[in-house]
Amino acid sequence: MQVAVIGAGYVGLTTAACVAELGHTVTCVDVDISKIAMLDEGNVPIRETGLDALIDRNRASGRLQFTTDVAKAAARAEAVLIAVGTPRGAGGDADLTHVKAVAREIARAIRPKTVVTIKSTVAVGTARLIREVIAERRRGLDFWITSNPEFLREGSAVRDFFEPDRIVIGADDPEPAARLTELYRPLIDQGVPLVVTSTVNAELIKYTANAFLALKVGFINDVADLCEEAEADINAVVKGVGLDRRIGPQFLSPGPGFGGSCFPKDTEAFAAAGRKFSCPQPLIETLVTRNQTRKHQMAKRILAELHGLSHARVAVLGVAFKADTDDVRDSAALTIIPILKAAGVSVRAFDPWARANASRIVKDVAWHDDPYAACSGVDLVAILTEWEMFRTLDLSLLARHMRGSTIFDCRNLMDPHHVASQGFRYVSLGRPAVPRVAPATAAKPAGERVHLPTLRGAAVARRPVR
Ligand code: NAD
Ligand code: UGA
């Protein structure tokens, strides 16, 4: 099948490469000239495991090409997949500017019987709206609008494409549903469940799925707080709860507040849909504000650990909104770092992939190429992203580099007993504090020791600051 994918971002580029791998001929389009130039030169603008190899292979076979010419790509396509961004709009609703712009552009170009599919996450009713936008410009043209929401996660996008839990096709006629089913035929033949439904159902499935997953994360974050107060252990609670097959163990890891380009904006959009349809969604409204305050709460707790120390230094390890991505959109780090800076803390930072994206947004941060260099001379290390490499940090090396001895782990990556036994004050989420054995700096050669009475004198187990 001849396919045009409009938008070469995390979803569009992954979809284009994967659909080509399924055997279709794909033209991937973006208005961003530099992105297309990069792709044409064989470079991939985003970090996504397995994507580079997939793009290389399919470009070489001639099944995948890139262009900035939307109309040309649409003119030869049997299916046009729209995967442009839908950022937070006014009032929380998804901003459909890019989707509408694409609709206007392809309206002039598409042939009769083209299936236009919205993969972007869009407000309920958008498929119908886009049908009107195109129909107004091409009166009498026989074409279809469908909705095919995307459920991939950044970091595992390629795997999620080939091994999805389900494929959802929203179509208000049987013919376009059959065309899209053919697009995904190899996956469906392998047993991937297919849900064929109306366009409006498909749009709501996408928002409901994201809102539900975000609720799980938001809820477990609050349970972690309760664990700290009750001296319970979130790991034990999650294990006992997650074994209930109706709940499941996934998306129950406490963190600094969910981020990314989707949960924050999609929960806001879900709440906005409730208001628009006069059917308020108080659970999601609360989740949205609670998640924002959680990020502030984390910053406050980090500051409290510094006990008003003047000229305090903090190392932030991890600025991506989660591990295995270079994406920093709505990342907790983007809220926490400015609060630390505003309080007069000097911030050093390390992230294996996301430095370039973050450094365009957060200013006055000293960036380092390895975690130990970032921790040099700091009073506190704040782990904000669950990069695997942070789990296995060499604690004796860390102790030698740090001035203070506090690790604030917002991802529960380390074993509290082990860290405390190395002389650190270790703060994690929802787990009982473990008294440290001796100051971490005890292992330092005498010449490297720094005397910091305020930090060293801090009580080991204190109630968290909310
Ligand atoms: P992105 O910002 O990474 O990419 C969007 C791309 O669209 C950009 O490269 C931009 O230049 C391009 N674009 C904008 N207007 C265009 C136009 N008129 N013509 C051609 N290209 C245009 O966005 P993304 O993260 O890939 O998300 C895309 C959509 O998919 C959003 O609606 C998002 O909510 C949804 N989604 C994202 C994910 C994810 O993990 N990122 C997962 C599922 C769904
Ligand atoms: C999420 C969904 O998981 C995808 O199914 C969906 O397609 C996508 O949004 C989207 O619509 O764009 P993604 O944003 O890539 O995917 O990331 P997730 O893995 O869902 O994580 C989102 C945020 O929640 C991250 O900040 C992550 O650290 C946080 N999280 C997740 C936790 O704090 N705890 C968890 O247990 C899980």
Side-chain angles (χ1 to χ4, degrees), residues 5-13 29-33 35 46 48 68 70 82-87 94 97-103 105 119-122 149-155 157 206-207 210 261-262 265-266 321-322 327 329:
V5 177
I6 319 293
Y10 287 87
V11 170
L13 194 53
V29 192
D30 206 290
V31 282
D32 185 335
I33 298 169
K35 212 175 239 189
I46 54 167
E48 200 54 71
T68 53
V70 177
I82 303 178
V84 295
T86 48
T97 307
H98 301 308
V99 177
K100 286 183 189 163
V102 172
E105 280 224 48
K119 278 199 90 59
S120 303
T121 304
V122 291
E150 181 53 64
F151 300 98
L152 63 76
R153 291 159 299 172
E154 287 179 30
K206 175 62 194 175
Y207 273 135
N210 269 7
S261 66
C262 296
K265 90 169 161 64
D266 292 350
F321 79 94
K322 66 171 188 178
D327 199 341
R329 290 179 281 184

Side-chain angles (χ1 to χ4, degrees), residues 45 51 53 58-59 92 104 137-138 151 210 249 272 278 296 313 329 340 357 394-395 406 440:
L51 186 60
N58 285 283
R59 278 183 77 225
R104 284 192 294 270
R137 281 162 180 77
R138 287 285 294 277
F151 300 98
N210 269 7
S278 302
H296 287 260
R313 295 183 205 149
R329 290 179 281 184
L340 300 182
N357 284 337
D394 179 335
L395 294 179
T406 302

Side-chain angles (χ1 to χ4, degrees), residues 49 82 103 141 191 249 251 257 267 278 286 300 317 333 347 385 428:
T49 306
I82 303 178
L141 179 75
F251 278 69
T267 45
S278 302
T286 304
K300 232 165 114 184
L317 298 187
V347 177
T385 310
S428 57

